[in-house]
Amino acid sequence: MPPSLRLARRTILASVVPFSAALASNPETASLLVPGPEMGAQFRWLQRLGAGLGRALPQATALRVLAVGGPDGVTAANRFATEAGPDGQHLLALAPGAAQARLLGDSRARFDPGPWLAVCAVAQPAALIVRSGRARGSPVRVALSRPDSPGACALLALDLMGIESVPVHTSSPEAAYRDGVADAFLASGPNLAAMAEGLGATLAFAAEAGTGRRDPALPDTPTTMEMYPEIAATARSALRAALAACRLRALVVLPSLTPADTLTAFRRAVGRFVDEANVDQPRALAPADAVNLQAQLCPGAEAAMHYREWLLRRFNWRAA
């Protein structure tokens, strides 16, 4: 190649490569798929999260929040799995209902969240609230809405710890507790310690904030793994997955194969909008904690099967 052409080629590459890289790391527009409906409280705070993330990127991105399907998020996750491309223009807010459906083997859940790339997560504490002064020796009556709800894993935790328990099926676990029909229920929210005190109850155990870590919002409440470290690895992963679904409000992800610079741009933007959340909103986790939460939500096939087999033995329940 003549010297003049080589110089021209280097000049063109020097101008084009940085420009294309900038586009790859920071799209001008993007869409965040979230569970519907549009009028719900869940959609409104996801709108705030999406707007904050878009503003926090190096070059502000017009990030549209699109409601897809119902509140369990299965339809939104299915659409993301089939339609999203690795260009930084498509994100998903994975809902706890979708993660739970995948754990249960629900035939509607035609997606695998394991390879997706976590950007951030919105989570809140989850803990088992137990009546103080309850008569010892009798089975713990645990209120839960349905066997397929994340809260059912409270009975799995008690089973693994060798504590006898019986389910109390109800549409409102907290109401069943207040009415004296149940002794305990698994709750999630920002002020669980105050809730327990108001109910004359204690927090028996809490979901881990990270592997082996207590939730910083409940520093005095042990995790199930602390209380019973002898839990076998498969059962431990199954329990962690269900408890993680109890904590989860949304896990924001990009598709697998998204360029590294694009993922980095979005993750760096997370810290810039965290301060926008007020005390009445669930807290946004840092990217590293989001990755850890994703790993808990996506156990191996053996752990998922352990949970499904436990549901069948305990409740004679299996996914459709």
Side-chain angles (χ1 to χ4, degrees), residues 161-253:
M161 289 187 281
I163 299 173
E164 188 177 0
S165 61
V166 293
V168 176
H169 298 283
T170 174
S171 59
S172 175
E174 183 178 345
Y177 176 92
R178 291 181 182 276
D179 293 342
V181 178
D183 306 309
F185 66 100
L186 193 70
S188 62
N191 301 303
L192 293 187
M195 173 190 284
E197 184 178 359
L199 291 171
T202 58
L203 299 180
F205 59 77
E208 292 177 320
T211 303
R213 293 204 337 253
R214 291 188 180 187
D215 195 308
L218 300 172
D220 299 324
T221 304
T223 67
T224 52
M225 311 310 168
E226 286 182 88
M227 295 179 67
Y228 192 70
E230 295 83 5
I231 297 175
T234 300
R236 183 187 299 261
S237 294
L239 180 57
R240 274 187 174 138
L243 286 171
C246 295
R247 292 185 63 230
L248 181 68
R249 293 293 298 275
L251 174 70
V252 178
V253 296

Side-chain angles (χ1 to χ4, degrees), residues 23-27 80-91 115-117 253-263 266:
L23 286 180
S25 63
N26 192 37
F80 180 78
T82 57
E83 299 181 4
D87 52 11
Q89 298 184 17
H90 304 86
L91 300 95
W116 293 340
L117 304 172
V253 296
L254 285 161
S256 59
L257 303 181
T258 296
D261 56 348
T262 303
L263 176 62
F266 275 98

Side-chain angles (χ1 to χ4, degrees), residues 16 36 72 75 114 138 163 187 202 222:
V16 171
D72 64 7
T75 302
S138 58
I163 299 173
T202 58

